[in-house]
Amino acid sequence: MAIALDYASEPQRRRGAWYGQLYVQVLVAIAAGVSVGYFWPDAGASLKPLGDAFIKLVKMIIAPVIFLTLVTGIAGMTELKSVGRVAGKAFAYFLFFSTLALVVGLIVANTVQPGAGMNVDPASLDTGAVKDYVAKAHDSSIVGFLMAIIPTTLVSALTGESLLQVLLVSILFGIALSMVGEPAAPVRDLLEKTGLVVFKLVGILMRAAPVGAFGAMAFTIGKYGIESLANLAGLVATFYLTSAIFVVVVLGVVARLAGFSIFKLIRYLRAELLLVLGTSSSESALPSLMDKMERAGCAKPVVGLVVPTGYSFNLDGTNIYMTLAALFIAQACNVDLSLGDQIALLAIAMISSKGAAGVTGAGFITLAATLSIVPDVPVAGMALILGIDRFMSECRSLTNFIGNAVATIVVARWDNALDTAALHHALNAPTAPGAARPATESDMD
C-alpha cells in the first residue's frame, strides 16, 4: 500500500509544479501555435485537424455531463417548483444582460464609428463566401428553433449536437425521477456514481487541451495571417476594447454586488479561458466550467440549468458583436440609419439571437439573420468582415464564457443556493508555483 501511495503521489507533485499547470501548458501551446502559423503558414494551416479533433473529443462528453448533472440535481430537490423558480430567474438575468450587451454595442458603434470613411459600394463585394451563412440564417427562425428543441427520441438528444435538446430531456427525466421517489433511488445512485466517472473522464480529456490549442492557433495564423488584421484593425480593436469594458465594468459591478471579484473569478477560470482563446470555442471548456462552478459552491441543479441554457441564451459577446458589426457595415456602405432604424435593428437582433441559439457559428449566422430582415443594411456587407471574423470569434467566446460563469454564481446566490465559504475558498486559492493545491481546484489544473 505504501508503494502504491508513493507511486500515485508523483503525478500529483508534477501537477503542483508550475509546468504541470494546465493554463501554463495551454499558454505555451498558444505561443507555439502562433509562431508556427507565422513562420511556416502552410504547415500551420495543415494543423487544423488537431484543434478539430480536440473540440470533437470535448463535444463527445458534453451531453453526458449536462444530463447527469441536471438529472441528479433535480432529483435531489425536495420541491419540484424550485426548478421553475431557478429557470425563471436565469431567463430574467439572460434577457436583461443580453439586451444590455446589444445596447452597449450600439452605443459604441455610434460613438467610435469604425466603418466611417470606407465608402464601400455593396455591388462591388463578392458575396459568394457569405451565401452559406445567409442560408443557415434562414434556418434559425423562431419556428425552426422551436422545432429543433424537440428531439426525435429520448436517446437521440444525447447523441446529437443540440444542447437545448439535451437540456429538455434532462429536465423531463429529472422531474420524472423525482416524482417516482424512493423506488427510483437505485437509478439516482447509479447516475451519481456515473457522474463521478464522467467528470474524471473530463479531467483526462483536458490533458490534451494544449495539443488542441496549438493546432487551432497555428491554423488560424497560418490560414488568415496576422497581417489580415491590418485593414480592419479598427473594428477588431473596438470590439475587443468594448468587450473588455463590458466584462470589467458591467459584469464587474454585478460580481461585486453578488459578493465576489470578477478578477478573482477570471483567475480561477484561467485555464478554461486560455483554452477558449486557443480553440475559439467556448464549448471546449463547458464540462470544465460546470465542474468548477460546483466546486465554487454553486448548487448542482443551478449549474445544470444555468450553464447549458446560458450557452444558448446568454451570449453577451455575440450580442455586442452583432450591433457593432451591423452598424460598421452600414457606416462602411454609407447607409444612414436613423434612431428609429437602430431601435428596430436592436429589436430584431434580440429575437434573431434567440432564434439562432444552438446553431454552429451562431455569431456570424445571427448577424446574417438580422441583416436579412433589416432592408436598409446590405447583407453583402458581411463580406467585409468575413476575413477577420475568426479573430473576433475568440473575443466573442471569451466574453460569452465569462458572462455565463458570472450568471451561474449570481443566479445561485439569488436562489440561496450558493455556498459562499466554498466560493471564497475557490477564488482566493493560492496560485503561486508549488503552492499546495486547494480542494476546490479541478483535477485538471
Side-chain angles (χ1 to χ4, degrees):
M1 178 65 71
I3 295 175
L5 288 173
D6 183 66
Y7 176 80
S9 66
E10 180 58 29
Q12 181 69 29
R13 285 196 296 270
R14 288 199 300 268
R15 284 199 296 268
W18 66 269
Y19 56 82
Q21 299 295 322
L22 182 63
Y23 75 94
V24 174
Q25 295 172 358
V26 173
L27 188 60
V28 171
I30 290 175
V34 170
S35 299
V36 170
Y38 182 75
F39 292 107
W40 303 282
D42 291 339
S46 68
L47 294 176
K48 186 176 185 289
L50 291 179
D52 291 345
F54 173 73
I55 293 176
K56 193 172 181 180
L57 271 178
V58 175
K59 285 186 175 181
M60 172 187 74
I61 206 70
I62 285 178
V65 166
I66 294 175
F67 179 79
L68 293 168
T69 300
L70 196 48
V71 168
T72 54
I74 292 176
M77 286 183 169
T78 55
E79 298 181 0
L80 286 178
K81 64 180 182 181
S82 59
V83 177
R85 186 181 67 243
V86 172
K89 291 177 179 178
F91 275 99
Y93 179 98
F94 296 162
L95 180 62
F96 179 81
F97 284 97
S98 293
T99 303
L100 181 60
L102 288 168
V103 172
V104 168
L106 209 62
I107 293 173
V108 171
N110 280 288
T111 303
V112 180
Q113 297 194 346
M118 293 185 68
N119 300 317
V120 175
D121 180 6
S124 66
L125 297 173
D126 179 11
T127 60
V130 301
K131 285 182 179 178
D132 290 340
Y133 291 98
V134 175
K136 290 180 181 179
H138 292 304
D139 295 333
S140 64
S141 63
I142 294 295
V143 175
F145 161 71
L146 291 176
M147 294 302 295
I149 196 175
I150 303 174
T152 304
T153 68
L154 188 70
V155 178
S156 66
L158 304 180
T159 59
E161 296 185 355
S162 173
L163 295 183
L164 294 175
Q165 289 186 0
V166 178
L167 195 64
L168 177 64
V169 168
S170 301
I171 292 174
L172 293 177
F173 195 90
I175 290 174
L177 196 61
S178 180
M179 292 177 68
V180 171
E182 188 59 31
V187 177
R188 185 172 61 249
D189 293 341
L190 175 63
L191 292 176
E192 288 177 350
K193 290 180 173 61
T194 304
L196 296 176
V197 177
V198 169
F199 272 108
K200 178 58 67 176
L201 177 58
V202 169
I204 294 173
L205 295 181
M206 285 300 110
R207 302 315 301 180
V211 178
F214 167 75
M217 189 57 69
F219 164 75
T220 299
I221 302 301
K223 175 72 173 179
Y224 301 102
I226 296 179
E227 63 275 6
S228 65
L229 291 172
N231 294 336
L232 298 169
L235 175 61
V236 175
T238 301
F239 179 51
Y240 270 76
L241 183 59
T242 304
S243 298
I245 292 173
F246 186 87
V247 169
V248 174
V249 178
V250 178
L251 296 183
V253 170
V254 173
R256 180 55 60 191
L257 293 175
F260 66 96
S261 166
I262 188 68
F263 297 106
K264 289 183 178 180
L265 178 64
I266 290 173
R267 183 185 66 178
Y268 177 59
L269 298 172
R270 61 195 181 278
E272 289 73 22
L273 289 169
L274 285 171
L275 180 58
V276 171
L277 174 65
T279 61
S280 294
S281 169
S282 55
E283 282 191 352
S284 63
L286 189 153
S288 181
L289 175 63
M290 295 181 72
D291 182 37
K292 279 200 166 181
M293 288 296 95
E294 281 191 55
R295 292 173 181 266
C298 299
K300 180 182 290 189
V302 173
V303 173
L305 272 170
V306 176
V307 173
T309 308
Y311 263 63
S312 293
F313 294 101
N314 187 42
L315 305 175
D316 297 334
T318 300
N319 287 348
I320 293 172
Y321 164 83
M322 281 175 58
T323 47
L324 184 60
L327 260 68
F328 169 83
I329 293 172
Q331 293 162 4
C333 297
N334 294 318
V335 175
D336 186 22
L337 295 178
S338 66
L339 179 60
D341 292 333
Q342 294 188 35
I343 293 176
L345 175 67
L346 180 68
I348 293 170
M350 288 175 59
I351 298 172
S352 61
S353 63
K354 304 302 180 287
V359 179
T360 303
F364 208 69
I365 293 170
T366 304
L367 178 61
T370 303
L371 296 185
S372 64
I373 300 174
V374 181
D376 294 330
V377 184
V379 179
M382 292 182 62
L384 290 171
I385 60 174
L386 181 60
I388 60 168
D389 183 71
R390 174 76 184 191
F391 293 95
M392 292 195 289
S393 70
E394 296 161 350
C395 186
R396 286 199 303 262
S397 298
L398 287 170
T399 308
N400 292 342
F401 186 84
I402 296 173
N404 282 314
V406 172
T408 305
I409 298 175
V410 171
V411 173
R413 188 179 187 88
W414 192 1
D415 200 55
N416 296 318
L418 177 67
D419 185 341
T420 54
L423 175 65
H424 292 149
H425 182 70
L427 300 189
N428 294 307
T431 58
R437 192 166 71 102
T440 53
E441 284 288 343
S442 170
D443 289 337
M444 66 192 75
D445 283 347

mmCIF file of all heavy atoms in Angstrom, residues 192-237:
data_model
loop_
_atom_site.group_PDB
_atom_site.id
_atom_site.type_symbol
_atom_site.label_atom_id
_atom_site.label_comp_id
_atom_site.label_asym_id
_atom_site.label_seq_id
_atom_site.Cartn_x
_atom_site.Cartn_y
_atom_site.Cartn_z
ATOM 1 N N GLU A 192 -25.473 9.140 -10.078
ATOM 2 C CA GLU A 192 -24.500 9.928 -9.320
ATOM 3 C C GLU A 192 -23.109 9.314 -9.410
ATOM 4 O O GLU A 192 -22.105 10.020 -9.571
ATOM 5 C CB GLU A 192 -24.943 10.030 -7.859
ATOM 6 C CG GLU A 192 -26.155 10.941 -7.665
ATOM 7 C CD GLU A 192 -26.630 10.981 -6.228
ATOM 8 O OE1 GLU A 192 -26.131 10.154 -5.425
ATOM 9 O OE2 GLU A 192 -27.486 11.826 -5.904
ATOM 10 N N LYS A 193 -23.029 7.993 -9.316
ATOM 11 C CA LYS A 193 -21.727 7.314 -9.426
ATOM 12 C C LYS A 193 -21.196 7.406 -10.860
ATOM 13 O O LYS A 193 -19.977 7.564 -11.077
ATOM 14 C CB LYS A 193 -21.860 5.854 -8.995
ATOM 15 C CG LYS A 193 -22.094 5.675 -7.501
ATOM 16 C CD LYS A 193 -22.225 4.206 -7.130
ATOM 17 C CE LYS A 193 -22.291 4.027 -5.614
ATOM 18 N NZ LYS A 193 -23.452 4.713 -5.018
ATOM 19 N N THR A 194 -22.083 7.342 -11.829
ATOM 20 C CA THR A 194 -21.669 7.500 -13.219
ATOM 21 C C THR A 194 -21.114 8.904 -13.448
ATOM 22 O O THR A 194 -20.155 9.101 -14.196
ATOM 23 C CB THR A 194 -22.852 7.253 -14.176
ATOM 24 O OG1 THR A 194 -23.401 5.950 -13.925
ATOM 25 C CG2 THR A 194 -22.408 7.348 -15.627
ATOM 26 N N GLY A 195 -21.726 9.877 -12.769
ATOM 27 C CA GLY A 195 -21.249 11.254 -12.876
ATOM 28 C C GLY A 195 -19.814 11.404 -12.405
ATOM 29 O O GLY A 195 -19.029 12.158 -12.996
ATOM 30 N N LEU A 196 -19.444 10.699 -11.356
ATOM 31 C CA LEU A 196 -18.063 10.757 -10.863
ATOM 32 C C LEU A 196 -17.092 10.255 -11.934
ATOM 33 O O LEU A 196 -16.024 10.838 -12.149
ATOM 34 C CB LEU A 196 -17.923 9.913 -9.587
ATOM 35 C CG LEU A 196 -18.719 10.382 -8.361
ATOM 36 C CD1 LEU A 196 -18.559 9.386 -7.219
ATOM 37 C CD2 LEU A 196 -18.254 11.765 -7.927
ATOM 38 N N VAL A 197 -17.477 9.188 -12.608
ATOM 39 C CA VAL A 197 -16.621 8.612 -13.654
ATOM 40 C C VAL A 197 -16.525 9.566 -14.843
ATOM 41 O O VAL A 197 -15.441 9.789 -15.403
ATOM 42 C CB VAL A 197 -17.184 7.243 -14.109
ATOM 43 C CG1 VAL A 197 -16.335 6.673 -15.247
ATOM 44 C CG2 VAL A 197 -17.216 6.273 -12.934
ATOM 45 N N VAL A 198 -17.655 10.161 -15.227
ATOM 46 C CA VAL A 198 -17.666 11.059 -16.380
ATOM 47 C C VAL A 198 -16.805 12.287 -16.132
ATOM 48 O O VAL A 198 -16.052 12.728 -17.012
ATOM 49 C CB VAL A 198 -19.114 11.460 -16.732
ATOM 50 C CG1 VAL A 198 -19.125 12.592 -17.753
ATOM 51 C CG2 VAL A 198 -19.879 10.265 -17.290
ATOM 52 N N PHE A 199 -16.886 12.867 -14.929
ATOM 53 C CA PHE A 199 -16.070 14.040 -14.636
ATOM 54 C C PHE A 199 -14.584 13.685 -14.538
ATOM 55 O O PHE A 199 -13.723 14.507 -14.834
ATOM 56 C CB PHE A 199 -16.539 14.725 -13.354
ATOM 57 C CG PHE A 199 -17.612 15.741 -13.602
ATOM 58 C CD1 PHE A 199 -18.924 15.493 -13.220
ATOM 59 C CD2 PHE A 199 -17.320 16.931 -14.246
ATOM 60 C CE1 PHE A 199 -19.921 16.422 -13.469
ATOM 61 C CE2 PHE A 199 -18.304 17.870 -14.495
ATOM 62 C CZ PHE A 199 -19.619 17.619 -14.118
ATOM 63 N N LYS A 200 -14.279 12.467 -14.135
ATOM 64 C CA LYS A 200 -12.886 12.028 -14.183
ATOM 65 C C LYS A 200 -12.423 11.921 -15.636
ATOM 66 O O LYS A 200 -11.277 12.277 -15.964
ATOM 67 C CB LYS A 200 -12.734 10.676 -13.478
ATOM 68 C CG LYS A 200 -11.327 10.103 -13.502
ATOM 69 C CD LYS A 200 -10.310 11.044 -12.862
ATOM 70 C CE LYS A 200 -10.555 11.189 -11.370
ATOM 71 N NZ LYS A 200 -9.502 12.026 -10.726
ATOM 72 N N LEU A 201 -13.322 11.471 -16.514
ATOM 73 C CA LEU A 201 -13.011 11.407 -17.937
ATOM 74 C C LEU A 201 -12.773 12.806 -18.499
ATOM 75 O O LEU A 201 -11.889 12.998 -19.344
ATOM 76 C CB LEU A 201 -14.153 10.719 -18.682
ATOM 77 C CG LEU A 201 -14.034 10.623 -20.205
ATOM 78 C CD1 LEU A 201 -12.751 9.889 -20.591
ATOM 79 C CD2 LEU A 201 -15.252 9.911 -20.795
ATOM 80 N N VAL A 202 -13.553 13.790 -18.019
ATOM 81 C CA VAL A 202 -13.345 15.172 -18.442
ATOM 82 C C VAL A 202 -11.920 15.608 -18.112
ATOM 83 O O VAL A 202 -11.227 16.225 -18.927
ATOM 84 C CB VAL A 202 -14.357 16.120 -17.760
ATOM 85 C CG1 VAL A 202 -13.977 17.577 -17.996
ATOM 86 C CG2 VAL A 202 -15.761 15.856 -18.268
ATOM 87 N N GLY A 203 -11.482 15.270 -16.888
ATOM 88 C CA GLY A 203 -10.118 15.615 -16.480
ATOM 89 C C GLY A 203 -9.061 14.995 -17.377
ATOM 90 O O GLY A 203 -8.061 15.624 -17.717
ATOM 91 N N ILE A 204 -9.316 13.747 -17.797
ATOM 92 C CA ILE A 204 -8.371 13.064 -18.683
ATOM 93 C C ILE A 204 -8.325 13.751 -20.050
ATOM 94 O O ILE A 204 -7.247 14.009 -20.597
ATOM 95 C CB ILE A 204 -8.773 11.576 -18.841
ATOM 96 C CG1 ILE A 204 -8.626 10.847 -17.498
ATOM 97 C CG2 ILE A 204 -7.918 10.901 -19.914
ATOM 98 C CD1 ILE A 204 -9.171 9.424 -17.522
ATOM 99 N N LEU A 205 -9.496 14.082 -20.589
ATOM 100 C CA LEU A 205 -9.554 14.723 -21.905
ATOM 101 C C LEU A 205 -8.906 16.100 -21.893
ATOM 102 O O LEU A 205 -8.282 16.512 -22.875
ATOM 103 C CB LEU A 205 -11.009 14.843 -22.368
ATOM 104 C CG LEU A 205 -11.768 13.539 -22.629
ATOM 105 C CD1 LEU A 205 -13.184 13.829 -23.106
ATOM 106 C CD2 LEU A 205 -11.037 12.676 -23.655
ATOM 107 N N MET A 206 -9.035 16.810 -20.784
ATOM 108 C CA MET A 206 -8.476 18.160 -20.705
ATOM 109 C C MET A 206 -6.949 18.165 -20.761
ATOM 110 O O MET A 206 -6.342 19.190 -21.078
ATOM 111 C CB MET A 206 -8.931 18.854 -19.423
ATOM 112 C CG MET A 206 -10.371 19.332 -19.436
ATOM 113 S SD MET A 206 -10.730 20.539 -20.741
ATOM 114 C CE MET A 206 -11.753 19.566 -21.822
ATOM 115 N N ARG A 207 -6.332 17.036 -20.483
ATOM 116 C CA ARG A 207 -4.869 16.982 -20.574
ATOM 117 C C ARG A 207 -4.406 17.132 -22.024
ATOM 118 O O ARG A 207 -3.239 17.446 -22.287
ATOM 119 C CB ARG A 207 -4.329 15.656 -20.001
ATOM 120 C CG ARG A 207 -4.693 15.357 -18.561
ATOM 121 C CD ARG A 207 -4.534 16.537 -17.629
ATOM 122 N NE ARG A 207 -3.169 17.074 -17.579
ATOM 123 C CZ ARG A 207 -2.802 18.111 -16.833
ATOM 124 N NH1 ARG A 207 -3.705 18.721 -16.087
ATOM 125 N NH2 ARG A 207 -1.560 18.537 -16.848
ATOM 126 N N ALA A 208 -5.332 16.900 -22.967
ATOM 127 C CA ALA A 208 -4.997 17.070 -24.390
ATOM 128 C C ALA A 208 -5.268 18.496 -24.861
ATOM 129 O O ALA A 208 -5.061 18.799 -26.035
ATOM 130 C CB ALA A 208 -5.807 16.088 -25.243
ATOM 131 N N ALA A 209 -5.705 19.371 -23.961
ATOM 132 C CA ALA A 209 -6.045 20.741 -24.333
ATOM 133 C C ALA A 209 -4.883 21.492 -25.000
ATOM 134 O O ALA A 209 -5.104 22.206 -25.990
ATOM 135 C CB ALA A 209 -6.542 21.514 -23.113
ATOM 136 N N PRO A 210 -3.640 21.379 -24.495
ATOM 137 C CA PRO A 210 -2.543 22.095 -25.158
ATOM 138 C C PRO A 210 -2.360 21.700 -26.623
ATOM 139 O O PRO A 210 -2.059 22.551 -27.465
ATOM 140 C CB PRO A 210 -1.317 21.711 -24.313
ATOM 141 C CG PRO A 210 -1.872 21.386 -22.971
ATOM 142 C CD PRO A 210 -3.193 20.730 -23.246
ATOM 143 N N VAL A 211 -2.560 20.433 -26.920
ATOM 144 C CA VAL A 211 -2.416 19.968 -28.304
ATOM 145 C C VAL A 211 -3.496 20.602 -29.182
ATOM 146 O O VAL A 211 -3.223 21.092 -30.286
ATOM 147 C CB VAL A 211 -2.504 18.430 -28.381
ATOM 148 C CG1 VAL A 211 -2.414 17.961 -29.830
ATOM 149 C CG2 VAL A 211 -1.407 17.797 -27.544
ATOM 150 N N GLY A 212 -4.726 20.626 -28.672
ATOM 151 C CA GLY A 212 -5.821 21.225 -29.427
ATOM 152 C C GLY A 212 -5.625 22.719 -29.628
ATOM 153 O O GLY A 212 -5.863 23.242 -30.721
ATOM 154 N N ALA A 213 -5.199 23.417 -28.570
ATOM 155 C CA ALA A 213 -4.971 24.858 -28.668
ATOM 156 C C ALA A 213 -3.840 25.174 -29.640
ATOM 157 O O ALA A 213 -3.916 26.131 -30.413
ATOM 158 C CB ALA A 213 -4.647 25.427 -27.284
ATOM 159 N N PHE A 214 -2.791 24.355 -29.626
ATOM 160 C CA PHE A 214 -1.666 24.539 -30.536
ATOM 161 C C PHE A 214 -2.113 24.413 -31.988
ATOM 162 O O PHE A 214 -1.825 25.270 -32.835
ATOM 163 C CB PHE A 214 -0.574 23.513 -30.223
ATOM 164 C CG PHE A 214 0.493 23.415 -31.282
ATOM 165 C CD1 PHE A 214 1.454 24.406 -31.409
ATOM 166 C CD2 PHE A 214 0.530 22.332 -32.146
ATOM 167 C CE1 PHE A 214 2.433 24.330 -32.393
ATOM 168 C CE2 PHE A 214 1.502 22.238 -33.121
ATOM 169 C CZ PHE A 214 2.465 23.237 -33.247
ATOM 170 N N GLY A 215 -2.858 23.349 -32.299
ATOM 171 C CA GLY A 215 -3.315 23.128 -33.663
ATOM 172 C C GLY A 215 -4.266 24.204 -34.148
ATOM 173 O O GLY A 215 -4.154 24.689 -35.276
ATOM 174 N N ALA A 216 -5.212 24.600 -33.287
ATOM 175 C CA ALA A 216 -6.202 25.604 -33.678
ATOM 176 C C ALA A 216 -5.551 26.967 -33.911
ATOM 177 O O ALA A 216 -5.882 27.667 -34.877
ATOM 178 C CB ALA A 216 -7.286 25.720 -32.601
ATOM 179 N N MET A 217 -4.612 27.362 -33.053
ATOM 180 C CA MET A 217 -3.973 28.664 -33.197
ATOM 181 C C MET A 217 -3.028 28.683 -34.400
ATOM 182 O O MET A 217 -2.963 29.673 -35.141
ATOM 183 C CB MET A 217 -3.215 29.016 -31.924
ATOM 184 C CG MET A 217 -2.686 30.450 -31.899
ATOM 185 S SD MET A 217 -3.967 31.706 -32.114
ATOM 186 C CE MET A 217 -4.870 31.549 -30.574
ATOM 187 N N ALA A 218 -2.299 27.593 -34.618
ATOM 188 C CA ALA A 218 -1.410 27.507 -35.781
ATOM 189 C C ALA A 218 -2.214 27.620 -37.072
ATOM 190 O O ALA A 218 -1.799 28.293 -38.028
ATOM 191 C CB ALA A 218 -0.629 26.192 -35.751
ATOM 192 N N PHE A 219 -3.384 26.970 -37.112
ATOM 193 C CA PHE A 219 -4.243 27.047 -38.297
ATOM 194 C C PHE A 219 -4.739 28.477 -38.525
ATOM 195 O O PHE A 219 -4.698 28.981 -39.651
ATOM 196 C CB PHE A 219 -5.443 26.107 -38.135
ATOM 197 C CG PHE A 219 -6.558 26.397 -39.097
ATOM 198 C CD1 PHE A 219 -6.456 26.046 -40.435
ATOM 199 C CD2 PHE A 219 -7.708 27.055 -38.669
ATOM 200 C CE1 PHE A 219 -7.472 26.332 -41.336
ATOM 201 C CE2 PHE A 219 -8.731 27.343 -39.557
ATOM 202 C CZ PHE A 219 -8.618 26.979 -40.889
ATOM 203 N N THR A 220 -5.209 29.131 -37.462
ATOM 204 C CA THR A 220 -5.768 30.481 -37.603
ATOM 205 C C THR A 220 -4.738 31.450 -38.167
ATOM 206 O O THR A 220 -5.008 32.196 -39.119
ATOM 207 C CB THR A 220 -6.280 30.997 -36.245
ATOM 208 O OG1 THR A 220 -7.322 30.129 -35.779
ATOM 209 C CG2 THR A 220 -6.831 32.410 -36.365
ATOM 210 N N ILE A 221 -3.537 31.444 -37.583
ATOM 211 C CA ILE A 221 -2.490 32.371 -38.026
ATOM 212 C C ILE A 221 -1.967 31.965 -39.405
ATOM 213 O O ILE A 221 -1.727 32.810 -40.274
ATOM 214 C CB ILE A 221 -1.339 32.423 -37.020
ATOM 215 C CG1 ILE A 221 -1.862 32.846 -35.637
ATOM 216 C CG2 ILE A 221 -0.257 33.392 -37.478
ATOM 217 C CD1 ILE A 221 -2.531 34.207 -35.625
ATOM 218 N N GLY A 222 -1.797 30.653 -39.627
ATOM 219 C CA GLY A 222 -1.295 30.186 -40.913
ATOM 220 C C GLY A 222 -2.273 30.428 -42.049
ATOM 221 O O GLY A 222 -1.870 30.771 -43.166
ATOM 222 N N LYS A 223 -3.574 30.268 -41.776
ATOM 223 C CA LYS A 223 -4.594 30.411 -42.810
ATOM 224 C C LYS A 223 -4.891 31.873 -43.125
ATOM 225 O O LYS A 223 -4.960 32.269 -44.300
ATOM 226 C CB LYS A 223 -5.879 29.711 -42.341
ATOM 227 C CG LYS A 223 -7.074 29.869 -43.266
ATOM 228 C CD LYS A 223 -6.930 29.060 -44.529
ATOM 229 C CE LYS A 223 -8.216 29.098 -45.339
ATOM 230 N NZ LYS A 223 -8.094 28.337 -46.608
ATOM 231 N N TYR A 224 -5.081 32.680 -42.083
ATOM 232 C CA TYR A 224 -5.524 34.052 -42.292
ATOM 233 C C TYR A 224 -4.397 35.074 -42.180
ATOM 234 O O TYR A 224 -4.482 36.156 -42.750
ATOM 235 C CB TYR A 224 -6.646 34.401 -41.302
ATOM 236 C CG TYR A 224 -7.842 33.485 -41.438
ATOM 237 C CD1 TYR A 224 -8.055 32.444 -40.539
ATOM 238 C CD2 TYR A 224 -8.744 33.653 -42.478
ATOM 239 C CE1 TYR A 224 -9.153 31.597 -40.665
ATOM 240 C CE2 TYR A 224 -9.840 32.811 -42.618
ATOM 241 C CZ TYR A 224 -10.035 31.786 -41.699
ATOM 242 O OH TYR A 224 -11.111 30.942 -41.832
ATOM 243 N N GLY A 225 -3.358 34.731 -41.420
ATOM 244 C CA GLY A 225 -2.216 35.626 -41.286
ATOM 245 C C GLY A 225 -2.499 36.802 -40.369
ATOM 246 O O GLY A 225 -3.603 37.349 -40.363
ATOM 247 N N ILE A 226 -1.516 37.181 -39.578
ATOM 248 C CA ILE A 226 -1.673 38.319 -38.677
ATOM 249 C C ILE A 226 -1.901 39.600 -39.482
ATOM 250 O O ILE A 226 -2.624 40.502 -39.051
ATOM 251 C CB ILE A 226 -0.438 38.462 -37.763
ATOM 252 C CG1 ILE A 226 -0.318 37.238 -36.846
ATOM 253 C CG2 ILE A 226 -0.506 39.739 -36.938
ATOM 254 C CD1 ILE A 226 0.887 37.268 -35.929
ATOM 255 N N GLU A 227 -1.296 39.659 -40.675
ATOM 256 C CA GLU A 227 -1.424 40.879 -41.484
ATOM 257 C C GLU A 227 -2.857 41.128 -41.958
ATOM 258 O O GLU A 227 -3.212 42.253 -42.336
ATOM 259 C CB GLU A 227 -0.502 40.815 -42.700
ATOM 260 C CG GLU A 227 -0.798 39.692 -43.684
ATOM 261 C CD GLU A 227 -0.142 38.370 -43.304
ATOM 262 O OE1 GLU A 227 0.452 38.306 -42.203
ATOM 263 O OE2 GLU A 227 -0.222 37.421 -44.089
ATOM 264 N N SER A 228 -3.705 40.085 -41.929
ATOM 265 C CA SER A 228 -5.087 40.274 -42.360
ATOM 266 C C SER A 228 -5.869 41.153 -41.402
ATOM 267 O O SER A 228 -6.973 41.609 -41.720
ATOM 268 C CB SER A 228 -5.795 38.913 -42.500
ATOM 269 O OG SER A 228 -5.896 38.281 -41.245
ATOM 270 N N LEU A 229 -5.304 41.395 -40.243
ATOM 271 C CA LEU A 229 -5.945 42.269 -39.263
ATOM 272 C C LEU A 229 -5.758 43.740 -39.596
ATOM 273 O O LEU A 229 -6.497 44.598 -39.106
ATOM 274 C CB LEU A 229 -5.367 42.012 -37.859
ATOM 275 C CG LEU A 229 -5.698 40.668 -37.198
ATOM 276 C CD1 LEU A 229 -4.888 40.518 -35.923
ATOM 277 C CD2 LEU A 229 -7.169 40.577 -36.891
ATOM 278 N N ALA A 230 -4.773 44.059 -40.424
ATOM 279 C CA ALA A 230 -4.368 45.451 -40.617
ATOM 280 C C ALA A 230 -5.494 46.317 -41.169
ATOM 281 O O ALA A 230 -5.790 47.389 -40.636
ATOM 282 C CB ALA A 230 -3.151 45.513 -41.537
ATOM 283 N N ASN A 231 -6.149 45.863 -42.252
ATOM 284 C CA ASN A 231 -7.159 46.693 -42.914
ATOM 285 C C ASN A 231 -8.359 46.985 -42.025
ATOM 286 O O ASN A 231 -8.963 48.054 -42.120
ATOM 287 C CB ASN A 231 -7.635 46.009 -44.204
ATOM 288 C CG ASN A 231 -6.527 45.917 -45.233
ATOM 289 O OD1 ASN A 231 -5.588 46.691 -45.216
ATOM 290 N ND2 ASN A 231 -6.640 44.950 -46.129
ATOM 291 N N LEU A 232 -8.719 46.039 -41.187
ATOM 292 C CA LEU A 232 -9.904 46.210 -40.349
ATOM 293 C C LEU A 232 -9.540 46.216 -38.868
ATOM 294 O O LEU A 232 -10.328 45.814 -38.017
ATOM 295 C CB LEU A 232 -10.905 45.089 -40.657
ATOM 296 C CG LEU A 232 -11.429 45.073 -42.099
ATOM 297 C CD1 LEU A 232 -12.195 43.792 -42.383
ATOM 298 C CD2 LEU A 232 -12.309 46.271 -42.372
ATOM 299 N N ALA A 233 -8.320 46.669 -38.587
ATOM 300 C CA ALA A 233 -7.831 46.674 -37.204
ATOM 301 C C ALA A 233 -8.699 47.535 -36.295
ATOM 302 O O ALA A 233 -8.867 47.238 -35.110
ATOM 303 C CB ALA A 233 -6.383 47.171 -37.161
ATOM 304 N N GLY A 234 -9.281 48.605 -36.850
ATOM 305 C CA GLY A 234 -10.118 49.487 -36.043
ATOM 306 C C GLY A 234 -11.330 48.774 -35.485
ATOM 307 O O GLY A 234 -11.661 48.916 -34.309
ATOM 308 N N LEU A 235 -11.990 47.974 -36.336
ATOM 309 C CA LEU A 235 -13.163 47.233 -35.878
ATOM 310 C C LEU A 235 -12.778 46.182 -34.848
ATOM 311 O O LEU A 235 -13.444 46.038 -33.815
ATOM 312 C CB LEU A 235 -13.858 46.564 -37.066
ATOM 313 C CG LEU A 235 -15.048 45.655 -36.725
ATOM 314 C CD1 LEU A 235 -16.146 46.445 -36.024
ATOM 315 C CD2 LEU A 235 -15.588 44.983 -37.985
ATOM 316 N N VAL A 236 -11.686 45.439 -35.117
ATOM 317 C CA VAL A 236 -11.239 44.408 -34.182
ATOM 318 C C VAL A 236 -10.877 45.019 -32.835
ATOM 319 O O VAL A 236 -11.291 44.528 -31.772
ATOM 320 C CB VAL A 236 -10.030 43.639 -34.768
ATOM 321 C CG1 VAL A 236 -9.491 42.641 -33.753
ATOM 322 C CG2 VAL A 236 -10.418 42.919 -36.047
ATOM 323 N N ALA A 237 -10.106 46.116 -32.860
ATOM 324 C CA ALA A 237 -9.690 46.775 -31.621
ATOM 325 C C ALA A 237 -10.892 47.315 -30.855
ATOM 326 O O ALA A 237 -10.968 47.190 -29.619
ATOM 327 C CB ALA A 237 -8.708 47.904 -31.934
#
